[in-house]
Amino acid sequence: SVAGATQLLALPGYTPALRCCVSALNRRRFVMPLVAAAVLPHGDFAFDPSLLSNPTSRAAADGLHRGSLLAGRLLADAAPDAIVLTTPHGLQTSWDVGIYQNAALQGVATVGRDLQESFGPASPRKLYPVSLDGQTDAGLAQQIMDVLSARHNVTLQRGWNGVLPMPLHWGEVLALSYVANASAAHCLPPLVTLGLPLSRYNLSSAVATGFLQLGRDLGRLLEASSKRATSPASSRARPFLEPAFS
């Protein structure tokens, strides 16, 4: 509900991880198939603040972790038919937003590796794997492809003739784990995974306008969908997602 979402947004640590479109829920014209949206971090220090030894950094990570748990709970409690995930660290093309098509999704994230890459091999206190399995909503993926391809650079991505799972890693596994862990069955509804292209790294000024419009069109598509959908964005994908719900 709007009131419930507003109360959650007021909780300490919630706002940094969640950008719920409460204002859109307040509009009478809004239909309910798009039931929630959030920005979830994929940094391992947010997933496990005990990796950090510095008290100031640990306190900041604790707040982000609490907010992420609440955001995951909000998405899980929405009981969606499908999750549309935007990720900046998935499979990438040069210019197109890639829509995963393989029926099965599977991956492992190594918690502690993010800190190791940033601060050196001796930085994390521990390393451990977090695994995640998922299934693609092939019908919704195709619908998104058909609608967005009329105006935007999008393409379906399929590997190994669809027989093997499409790989997931930290950009998807950690963000989605907040949702899976908050659900009663500890599993996810069907997914549609959108991978951002390589052009966002060095040509962001050239592609930003197109990304913003794509986000708006994706939001309209989900709003009109017959399925209840939630749309989390793994951190750093936020500029792409936000226009869809503003």
Side-chain angles (χ1 to χ4, degrees), residues 125-162:
R125 294 181 173 184
K126 55 187 175 182
L127 295 171
Y128 62 90
V130 174
S131 61
L132 187 82
D133 293 335
Q135 295 292 320
T136 293
D137 187 324
L140 184 56
Q142 187 65 56
Q143 181 186 5
I144 291 173
M145 172 64 189
D146 292 341
V147 172
L148 295 186
S149 62
R151 298 183 60 189
H152 304 285
N153 293 333
V154 295
T155 187
L156 288 174
Q157 291 185 309
R158 186 180 185 189
W160 311 285
N161 200 31

Short mmCIF file of all heavy atoms in Angstrom, two decimals, residues 125-162:
data_model
loop_
_atom_site.label_atom_id
_atom_site.label_comp_id
_atom_site.label_asym_id
_atom_site.label_seq_id
_atom_site.Cartn_x
_atom_site.Cartn_y
_atom_site.Cartn_z
N ARG A 125 38.35 -9.87 5.08
CA ARG A 125 38.61 -10.81 6.17
C ARG A 125 38.27 -12.24 5.76
O ARG A 125 38.77 -13.18 6.36
CB ARG A 125 37.77 -10.42 7.38
CG ARG A 125 38.16 -9.09 8.00
CD ARG A 125 37.29 -8.80 9.22
NE ARG A 125 37.73 -7.63 9.94
CZ ARG A 125 37.19 -7.20 11.07
NH1 ARG A 125 36.17 -7.87 11.61
NH2 ARG A 125 37.63 -6.13 11.67
N LYS A 126 37.39 -12.40 4.81
CA LYS A 126 36.96 -13.74 4.42
C LYS A 126 36.41 -13.70 3.00
O LYS A 126 36.04 -12.65 2.49
CB LYS A 126 35.88 -14.24 5.38
CG LYS A 126 34.69 -13.29 5.51
CD LYS A 126 33.71 -13.73 6.58
CE LYS A 126 32.59 -12.72 6.79
NZ LYS A 126 31.67 -13.10 7.87
N LEU A 127 36.40 -14.85 2.38
CA LEU A 127 35.81 -15.04 1.06
C LEU A 127 34.86 -16.23 1.16
O LEU A 127 35.21 -17.26 1.72
CB LEU A 127 36.87 -15.32 0.00
CG LEU A 127 37.87 -14.21 -0.33
CD1 LEU A 127 38.97 -14.75 -1.24
CD2 LEU A 127 37.17 -13.05 -1.03
N TYR A 128 33.65 -16.09 0.59
CA TYR A 128 32.74 -17.22 0.58
C TYR A 128 31.74 -17.06 -0.57
O TYR A 128 31.45 -15.94 -1.00
CB TYR A 128 32.01 -17.38 1.91
CG TYR A 128 31.14 -16.21 2.32
CD1 TYR A 128 29.79 -16.16 1.94
CD2 TYR A 128 31.65 -15.18 3.09
CE1 TYR A 128 28.98 -15.11 2.32
CE2 TYR A 128 30.84 -14.12 3.48
CZ TYR A 128 29.51 -14.09 3.10
OH TYR A 128 28.72 -13.04 3.48
N PRO A 129 31.21 -18.17 -1.09
CA PRO A 129 30.31 -18.10 -2.24
C PRO A 129 28.86 -17.93 -1.83
O PRO A 129 28.41 -18.42 -0.79
CB PRO A 129 30.53 -19.46 -2.92
CG PRO A 129 30.84 -20.38 -1.77
CD PRO A 129 31.60 -19.55 -0.77
N VAL A 130 28.10 -17.22 -2.68
CA VAL A 130 26.64 -17.13 -2.57
C VAL A 130 26.08 -17.54 -3.93
O VAL A 130 26.44 -16.95 -4.95
CB VAL A 130 26.18 -15.71 -2.21
CG1 VAL A 130 24.66 -15.60 -2.25
CG2 VAL A 130 26.71 -15.30 -0.84
N SER A 131 25.24 -18.56 -3.94
CA SER A 131 24.72 -19.08 -5.20
C SER A 131 23.26 -18.68 -5.39
O SER A 131 22.54 -18.38 -4.43
CB SER A 131 24.85 -20.59 -5.26
OG SER A 131 24.12 -21.20 -4.21
N LEU A 132 22.82 -18.67 -6.64
CA LEU A 132 21.44 -18.30 -6.96
C LEU A 132 21.02 -19.00 -8.25
O LEU A 132 21.78 -19.03 -9.22
CB LEU A 132 21.33 -16.79 -7.13
CG LEU A 132 19.91 -16.24 -7.31
CD1 LEU A 132 19.25 -16.09 -5.93
CD2 LEU A 132 19.91 -14.90 -8.02
N ASP A 133 19.82 -19.55 -8.25
CA ASP A 133 19.22 -20.13 -9.44
C ASP A 133 17.94 -19.37 -9.78
O ASP A 133 17.24 -18.89 -8.88
CB ASP A 133 18.87 -21.60 -9.22
CG ASP A 133 20.09 -22.48 -9.03
OD1 ASP A 133 21.17 -22.08 -9.52
OD2 ASP A 133 19.98 -23.53 -8.37
N GLY A 134 17.64 -19.26 -11.06
CA GLY A 134 16.42 -18.58 -11.47
C GLY A 134 15.92 -19.11 -12.79
O GLY A 134 16.59 -19.88 -13.48
N GLN A 135 14.71 -18.69 -13.14
CA GLN A 135 14.09 -19.04 -14.40
C GLN A 135 13.66 -17.76 -15.12
O GLN A 135 13.17 -16.81 -14.50
CB GLN A 135 12.86 -19.92 -14.18
CG GLN A 135 13.17 -21.28 -13.58
CD GLN A 135 13.94 -22.18 -14.53
OE1 GLN A 135 13.67 -22.21 -15.73
NE2 GLN A 135 14.90 -22.92 -13.99
N THR A 136 13.84 -17.74 -16.42
CA THR A 136 13.46 -16.58 -17.22
C THR A 136 11.99 -16.63 -17.60
O THR A 136 11.46 -17.69 -17.94
CB THR A 136 14.31 -16.51 -18.51
OG1 THR A 136 15.68 -16.26 -18.16
CG2 THR A 136 13.83 -15.41 -19.45
N ASP A 137 11.33 -15.49 -17.51
CA ASP A 137 9.97 -15.35 -18.04
C ASP A 137 10.10 -15.06 -19.53
O ASP A 137 10.23 -13.90 -19.95
CB ASP A 137 9.24 -14.22 -17.32
CG ASP A 137 7.76 -14.13 -17.69
OD1 ASP A 137 7.43 -14.39 -18.86
OD2 ASP A 137 6.94 -13.80 -16.82
N ALA A 138 10.10 -16.12 -20.32
CA ALA A 138 10.38 -15.98 -21.76
C ALA A 138 9.34 -15.12 -22.46
O ALA A 138 9.68 -14.34 -23.37
CB ALA A 138 10.44 -17.36 -22.40
N GLY A 139 8.08 -15.24 -22.07
CA GLY A 139 7.04 -14.45 -22.71
C GLY A 139 7.20 -12.97 -22.47
O GLY A 139 7.09 -12.15 -23.40
N LEU A 140 7.49 -12.59 -21.21
CA LEU A 140 7.68 -11.17 -20.90
C LEU A 140 8.97 -10.65 -21.52
O LEU A 140 9.01 -9.51 -22.00
CB LEU A 140 7.70 -10.97 -19.38
CG LEU A 140 7.79 -9.53 -18.89
CD1 LEU A 140 6.66 -8.68 -19.44
CD2 LEU A 140 7.80 -9.49 -17.35
N ALA A 141 10.01 -11.47 -21.55
CA ALA A 141 11.25 -11.06 -22.20
C ALA A 141 11.02 -10.74 -23.68
O ALA A 141 11.50 -9.74 -24.20
CB ALA A 141 12.31 -12.16 -22.05
N GLN A 142 10.26 -11.60 -24.36
CA GLN A 142 9.97 -11.37 -25.77
C GLN A 142 9.10 -10.12 -25.96
O GLN A 142 9.29 -9.34 -26.90
CB GLN A 142 9.25 -12.59 -26.36
CG GLN A 142 9.04 -12.52 -27.87
CD GLN A 142 10.35 -12.53 -28.64
OE1 GLN A 142 11.17 -13.43 -28.49
NE2 GLN A 142 10.55 -11.51 -29.47
N GLN A 143 8.14 -9.92 -25.05
CA GLN A 143 7.29 -8.73 -25.13
C GLN A 143 8.11 -7.46 -24.98
O GLN A 143 7.92 -6.48 -25.73
CB GLN A 143 6.21 -8.79 -24.05
CG GLN A 143 5.25 -7.60 -24.08
CD GLN A 143 4.28 -7.61 -22.90
OE1 GLN A 143 4.38 -8.44 -22.00
NE2 GLN A 143 3.34 -6.69 -22.91
N ILE A 144 9.03 -7.46 -24.01
CA ILE A 144 9.90 -6.29 -23.82
C ILE A 144 10.74 -6.06 -25.07
O ILE A 144 10.91 -4.92 -25.53
CB ILE A 144 10.77 -6.49 -22.58
CG1 ILE A 144 9.90 -6.43 -21.31
CG2 ILE A 144 11.88 -5.43 -22.50
CD1 ILE A 144 10.64 -6.77 -20.04
N MET A 145 11.26 -7.13 -25.64
CA MET A 145 12.04 -7.02 -26.87
C MET A 145 11.21 -6.45 -28.01
O MET A 145 11.63 -5.51 -28.71
CB MET A 145 12.59 -8.40 -27.25
CG MET A 145 13.28 -8.46 -28.60
SD MET A 145 14.78 -7.44 -28.66
CE MET A 145 15.13 -7.53 -30.42
N ASP A 146 10.03 -6.97 -28.21
CA ASP A 146 9.19 -6.54 -29.33
C ASP A 146 8.81 -5.07 -29.21
O ASP A 146 8.81 -4.33 -30.20
CB ASP A 146 7.92 -7.39 -29.40
CG ASP A 146 8.21 -8.84 -29.79
OD1 ASP A 146 9.29 -9.10 -30.34
OD2 ASP A 146 7.34 -9.70 -29.53
N VAL A 147 8.49 -4.63 -27.99
CA VAL A 147 8.04 -3.25 -27.80
C VAL A 147 9.21 -2.27 -27.86
O VAL A 147 9.16 -1.26 -28.58
CB VAL A 147 7.28 -3.11 -26.47
CG1 VAL A 147 6.97 -1.64 -26.17
CG2 VAL A 147 5.99 -3.92 -26.50
N LEU A 148 10.28 -2.56 -27.14
CA LEU A 148 11.38 -1.61 -27.05
C LEU A 148 12.21 -1.53 -28.34
O LEU A 148 12.79 -0.49 -28.63
CB LEU A 148 12.29 -1.96 -25.87
CG LEU A 148 11.67 -1.86 -24.48
CD1 LEU A 148 12.74 -2.10 -23.41
CD2 LEU A 148 11.01 -0.51 -24.26
N SER A 149 12.28 -2.62 -29.09
CA SER A 149 13.11 -2.62 -30.30
C SER A 149 12.58 -1.67 -31.37
O SER A 149 13.32 -1.33 -32.31
CB SER A 149 13.22 -4.03 -30.87
OG SER A 149 11.94 -4.53 -31.25
N ALA A 150 11.35 -1.24 -31.24
CA ALA A 150 10.81 -0.29 -32.22
C ALA A 150 11.47 1.07 -32.12
O ALA A 150 11.51 1.82 -33.10
CB ALA A 150 9.30 -0.15 -32.02
N ARG A 151 12.03 1.38 -30.93
CA ARG A 151 12.60 2.72 -30.73
C ARG A 151 14.01 2.71 -30.14
O ARG A 151 14.66 3.75 -30.09
CB ARG A 151 11.70 3.53 -29.78
CG ARG A 151 10.30 3.78 -30.28
CD ARG A 151 9.52 4.66 -29.30
NE ARG A 151 10.13 5.95 -29.10
CZ ARG A 151 9.74 6.83 -28.18
NH1 ARG A 151 8.78 6.52 -27.35
NH2 ARG A 151 10.33 8.00 -28.07
N HIS A 152 14.47 1.54 -29.70
CA HIS A 152 15.71 1.52 -28.94
C HIS A 152 16.63 0.39 -29.40
O HIS A 152 16.19 -0.56 -30.06
CB HIS A 152 15.41 1.35 -27.44
CG HIS A 152 14.49 2.39 -26.89
ND1 HIS A 152 14.89 3.68 -26.63
CD2 HIS A 152 13.17 2.33 -26.55
CE1 HIS A 152 13.88 4.38 -26.15
NE2 HIS A 152 12.82 3.58 -26.09
N ASN A 153 17.91 0.50 -28.98
CA ASN A 153 18.89 -0.54 -29.25
C ASN A 153 18.78 -1.62 -28.18
O ASN A 153 19.36 -1.52 -27.10
CB ASN A 153 20.30 0.04 -29.26
CG ASN A 153 20.54 0.99 -30.41
OD1 ASN A 153 19.91 0.89 -31.45
ND2 ASN A 153 21.45 1.94 -30.22
N VAL A 154 18.01 -2.65 -28.48
CA VAL A 154 17.89 -3.80 -27.58
C VAL A 154 18.03 -5.06 -28.40
O VAL A 154 17.73 -5.09 -29.60
CB VAL A 154 16.53 -3.81 -26.83
CG1 VAL A 154 16.42 -2.62 -25.90
CG2 VAL A 154 15.37 -3.84 -27.79
N THR A 155 18.52 -6.11 -27.77
CA THR A 155 18.68 -7.38 -28.47
C THR A 155 18.50 -8.53 -27.51
O THR A 155 18.82 -8.40 -26.31
CB THR A 155 20.07 -7.47 -29.14
OG1 THR A 155 20.14 -8.63 -29.96
CG2 THR A 155 21.19 -7.53 -28.11
N LEU A 156 17.97 -9.64 -27.98
CA LEU A 156 17.89 -10.85 -27.17
C LEU A 156 19.26 -11.51 -27.12
O LEU A 156 19.99 -11.55 -28.12
CB LEU A 156 16.87 -11.82 -27.74
CG LEU A 156 15.39 -11.45 -27.58
CD1 LEU A 156 14.52 -12.44 -28.35
CD2 LEU A 156 14.98 -11.43 -26.11
N GLN A 157 19.62 -12.06 -25.96
CA GLN A 157 20.88 -12.78 -25.81
C GLN A 157 20.59 -14.21 -25.42
O GLN A 157 19.91 -14.47 -24.42
CB GLN A 157 21.76 -12.11 -24.75
CG GLN A 157 22.29 -10.76 -25.16
CD GLN A 157 23.25 -10.19 -24.15
OE1 GLN A 157 22.95 -10.12 -22.97
NE2 GLN A 157 24.42 -9.78 -24.60
N ARG A 158 21.11 -15.12 -26.22
CA ARG A 158 20.88 -16.54 -25.98
C ARG A 158 22.20 -17.29 -26.12
O ARG A 158 22.96 -17.03 -27.05
CB ARG A 158 19.86 -17.09 -26.98
CG ARG A 158 19.43 -18.52 -26.73
CD ARG A 158 18.43 -18.95 -27.78
NE ARG A 158 17.90 -20.29 -27.55
CZ ARG A 158 17.14 -20.95 -28.41
NH1 ARG A 158 16.82 -20.39 -29.57
NH2 ARG A 158 16.68 -22.16 -28.12
N GLY A 159 22.47 -18.21 -25.20
CA GLY A 159 23.72 -18.95 -25.25
C GLY A 159 23.50 -20.44 -25.23
O GLY A 159 22.52 -20.93 -24.67
N TRP A 160 24.38 -21.17 -25.89
CA TRP A 160 24.40 -22.63 -25.87
C TRP A 160 23.06 -23.23 -26.30
O TRP A 160 22.59 -24.24 -25.76
CB TRP A 160 24.81 -23.14 -24.48
CG TRP A 160 26.03 -22.45 -23.99
CD1 TRP A 160 27.32 -22.63 -24.40
CD2 TRP A 160 26.08 -21.40 -23.02
NE1 TRP A 160 28.15 -21.78 -23.75
CE2 TRP A 160 27.43 -21.01 -22.90
CE3 TRP A 160 25.13 -20.75 -22.24
CZ2 TRP A 160 27.85 -20.00 -22.04
CZ3 TRP A 160 25.53 -19.74 -21.39
CH2 TRP A 160 26.88 -19.39 -21.29
N ASN A 161 22.46 -22.55 -27.27
CA ASN A 161 21.17 -22.98 -27.82
C ASN A 161 20.09 -23.08 -26.74
O ASN A 161 19.11 -23.83 -26.89
CB ASN A 161 21.31 -24.32 -28.55
CG ASN A 161 20.18 -24.56 -29.53
OD1 ASN A 161 19.62 -23.61 -30.10
ND2 ASN A 161 19.80 -25.81 -29.74
N GLY A 162 20.29 -22.35 -25.65
CA GLY A 162 19.30 -22.34 -24.59
C GLY A 162 19.31 -23.56 -23.69
O GLY A 162 18.48 -23.68 -22.79
#
